[in-house]
Amino acid sequence: MHNNQKKIASELNPNVSVDCVIFGFDLEQLTVLVIDRGEISAANGPRLALPGNLIYDNENLDQAASRVLEELTGLSNIYLEQVGAFGDPFRIHKESDREWLKSIRAQPDARVITVAYFSLVKISDYLPHASSFAKNAGWAPVNEISELAFDHFEILQAAKDKLKQKIKIQPIGFNLLPEKFTLSQLHRLYESILDKPLDKRNFRRKIQKLNILSNLKEKQRGVPHKPSSLYEFNEEKYQELTQMGFDNFGF
Amino acid sequence: MHNNQKKIASELNPNVSVDCVIFGFDLEQLTVLVIDRGEISAANGPRLALPGNLIYDNENLDQAASRVLEELTGLSNIYLEQVGAFGDPFRIHKESDREWLKSIRAQPDARVITVAYFSLVKISDYLPHASSFAKNAGWAPVNEISELAFDHFEILQAAKDKLKQKIKIQPIGFNLLPEKFTLSQLHRLYESILDKPLDKRNFRRKIQKLNILSNLKEKQRGVPHKPSSLYEFNEEKYQELTQMGFDNFGF
DNA sequence: AGTCTTTGTGTCATTTTTACACTATCCAAA
DNA sequence: TTTGGATAGTGTAAAAATGACACAAAGACT
């Protein structure tokens, strides 16, 4: 082993941050967790931003993203994937953003490169509540967001694209659904991620063929229409599949 | 417009670097441009590394990658794509790497996050020559590389994966070939990127169906076998295709 | 003239994809 | 209790894509 791993002080690195695009699904549409910075001095600009923060010098990037996610939502062990690095020198150019940084950063004018992550959470696991840091955080439908602080809108776009691409290749969508879900819910999820309609019967056929769903002998209750049967995701089958070199859903 | 874009001094940012995985294709196999650091003091470790350097504070990440690429090869206007950010706090832990950094960096112990890019170069455009910085740079077959400085081997792996994935979706492989090429060369290129054999006839059928090749009325000369006809990549057709929402080669 | 090497080509069986419409089941309201 | 409203659930046929497979043609060299 190497014996030269110096203890590195746990200080914030003023030049590198992580930002998290935390996706949820409210069974209708894809949502994203944004924080509301409130009114920012005189300058007017977007109030909403993605959660993010500077990294510590003793944590790696994945850890930093997990930490930010957990600080905001209390959730750990969440699906996380890197989207990429964003480092335009002028990504912090809006007056409102600069004002805000002055109030939260020791070196508000430092050049910061940010590494974006996206994560998938079951929306029921995190219902933003009025206490804590999360008092000004909430789920917003992805499609209704038109501007965000800094370059966060661009980051959101990149995260959506990455998710769209990734879901064609791996069944990560299950991270967004409750343990028990219906095929219609899954269907709507895929439609909202891929942003296009998918034929119901063809979708069901394709999903079923993957053999990663268990049909629970249980039905929805209390819905004002024919109740749907509930399914759960079968992780075992999924592991089998991935190990055999599976890589295409082909939606 | 915003008038608050302060002039930022053109200084090296001690915390962020870019590393480039520059792919080439020698008509036999996929290669990558590596630099040879020579013998490094007493410590023994990998001599080879990917080209890379700290970024300047007035350039964005893409620009930094282009600059590094151009400084090494003299080439500009090259296909470049971000692979991702690598930021393990201990990515600089090998003794040999630390020694080397002492000789080239003002702050050799700084924690550095690196952003990796991959680029595709026509190998004939850059024949490493004995002069300049490139005197210790050269093309190495990707499959023969087993270790590299820092976390560069991991970066190379990630770049290969990204290329593999990307080439299934867009015909970027043409960036690696000469202007005029044969279908067999293209075939070998795909096989070496995807790292598996592809049936000759099926490959040709699939490529032809894309309609992005122009069959030049010209044949190979001087080869000791039946000469192949030469093709060129038809950018116009390709643009048409991408705009119509094309996204799957499906190899 | 013969040998070596690589090019270039077609078909058939199987699988995958696409497009498409009606009945079943539950709740709620009349 | 009947009816209307809403969503669940299901099959088929045509078209397209895939995968497997073998041999003649063209040139260089001896």
Side-chain angles (χ1 to χ4, degrees), chain A residues 20-23 31-37 47-51 72 126 128 133-142 145 147-149 152 156:
Chain A
C20 293
V21 179
I22 303 167
F23 287 114
T31 62
V32 62
L33 196 51
V34 288
I35 62 175
D36 183 349
R37 301 180 296 172
R47 291 174 47 150
L48 302 179
L50 295 175
L72 177 59
Y126 174 67
F133 180 25
K135 70 172 167 239
N136 44 7
W139 295 106
V142 165
I145 292 178
E147 59 170 15
L148 289 173
H152 287 183
L156 174 60

Side-chain angles (χ1 to χ4, degrees), chain A residues 4 15 59 82 85 93 111, chain B residues 4 15 59 82 85 93 111:
Chain A
N4 54 357
N15 293 317
E59 63 187 358
Q82 192 184 113
H93 67 183
R111 179 187 179 179
Chain B
N4 54 356
N15 292 318
E59 63 186 358
Q82 193 185 111
H93 67 183
R111 180 189 177 177

Side-chain angles (χ1 to χ4, degrees), chain B residues 150-161:
Chain B
F150 308 111
D151 53 357
H152 288 183
F153 189 72
E154 184 189 343
I155 290 174
L156 174 60
Q157 198 56 48
K160 280 163 63 179
D161 289 345

